[in-house]
Amino acid sequence: MTVRDRRQAFVDNLYARERGTRSKNLKIVGESRQALARMRRMFSGTRQQAEAFEYVFPYDPPQAEQDTWLLVAGLFALNPQPPRSRKGRRSFGASMGELKAKTGSTADRRFTQLLARDRDALSHHLRQTVRLLASHDIPIDHHQLLDDLVVLLGENYRGDHAHQIRLNWARDYHVPARNGRSTEAVADNDNDDEEPEPGDAS
């Protein structure tokens, strides 16, 4: 499997955990809720972070991306909502655009701060913002978020690709008519497969 395939399978399994909480099978419901709780606790400390390893490392993240995959697992657990549409990807800016429609200038301030954060501060600011989105029932495209954060938190976080990602977020935030579907993102993802059941790392 390519790295892109492994990212896809990893996030598909996160969404499968959310679906599991709505299963008619009580065992699956319990396992899914436990998994989400463990991933949420990863922000509490090193020992708690270790509890999330079993949901990340079976998908073999590249060493340079490990921390980012763990972060996305925790962010997902803070806001485990299914996407509203499977037609194309949407950036984090599109989710923030929904928040703007509900809260106005509060979202403007937070989004400007988010774009201005350097690599070291971005993770903390994302946690706060994801909690805010969850409180307003606004979903996030975690497939796209993982792809974007691999760049924004990577060695080339000041490069042209990172700059383009920030521009994509800003465009999707300020132009809600696009429904958050950046051209680059749509081109990359119109062939989603069926999502696996919880625990399926294949």
Side-chain angles (χ1 to χ4, degrees), residues 30-195:
E31 290 173 348
S32 298
R33 288 178 176 172
Q34 182 183 58
L36 291 172
R38 285 179 174 175
M39 286 187 277
R40 275 194 302 273
R41 287 198 299 268
M42 66 165 286
F43 294 124
S44 302
T46 304
R47 183 180 65 81
Q48 290 84 354
Q49 185 185 58
E51 294 181 2
F53 290 169
E54 66 180 288
Y55 308 112
V56 176
F57 287 110
Y59 299 91
D60 192 21
Q63 188 169 2
E65 299 182 10
Q66 288 174 171
D67 286 338
T68 303
W69 288 41
L70 284 164
L71 172 64
V72 168
L75 294 177
F76 179 85
L78 293 176
N79 186 10
Q81 297 189 54
R84 293 194 181 122
S85 171
R86 292 179 61 83
K87 295 181 180 178
R89 296 278 185 91
R90 71 184 227 148
S91 77
F92 195 75
S95 295
M96 290 297 293
E98 284 193 46
L99 183 66
K100 179 182 181 180
K102 293 185 176 184
T103 65
S105 60
T106 300
D108 283 337
R109 254 188 335 269
R110 186 171 288 272
F111 186 65
T112 300
Q113 292 169 356
L114 186 68
L115 290 182
R117 288 292 182 263
D118 62 21
R119 179 176 60 173
D120 294 335
L122 182 59
S123 297
H124 175 72
H125 197 69
L126 276 169
R127 292 200 298 272
Q128 295 177 324
T129 305
V130 167
R131 287 189 180 100
L132 182 60
L133 291 170
S135 71
H136 288 278
D137 295 319
I138 298 173
I140 299 164
D141 183 337
H142 287 86
H143 285 102
Q144 189 63 45
L145 183 61
L146 176 57
D147 285 347
D148 289 348
L149 291 183
V150 163
V151 179
L152 295 178
L153 298 174
E155 291 300 319
N156 296 318
Y157 69 100
R158 290 180 176 170
D160 290 343
H161 192 181
H163 178 63
Q164 185 60 54
I165 288 169
R166 293 187 182 94
L167 289 179
N168 287 346
W169 287 17
R171 180 188 59 209
D172 291 342
Y173 178 76
H174 290 289
V175 189
R178 295 183 62 86
N179 293 320
R181 296 182 65 192
S182 73
T183 346
E184 181 184 19
V186 172
D188 280 348
N189 184 68
D190 269 346
N191 57 354
D192 286 345
D193 296 320
E194 193 68 24
E195 294 171 3

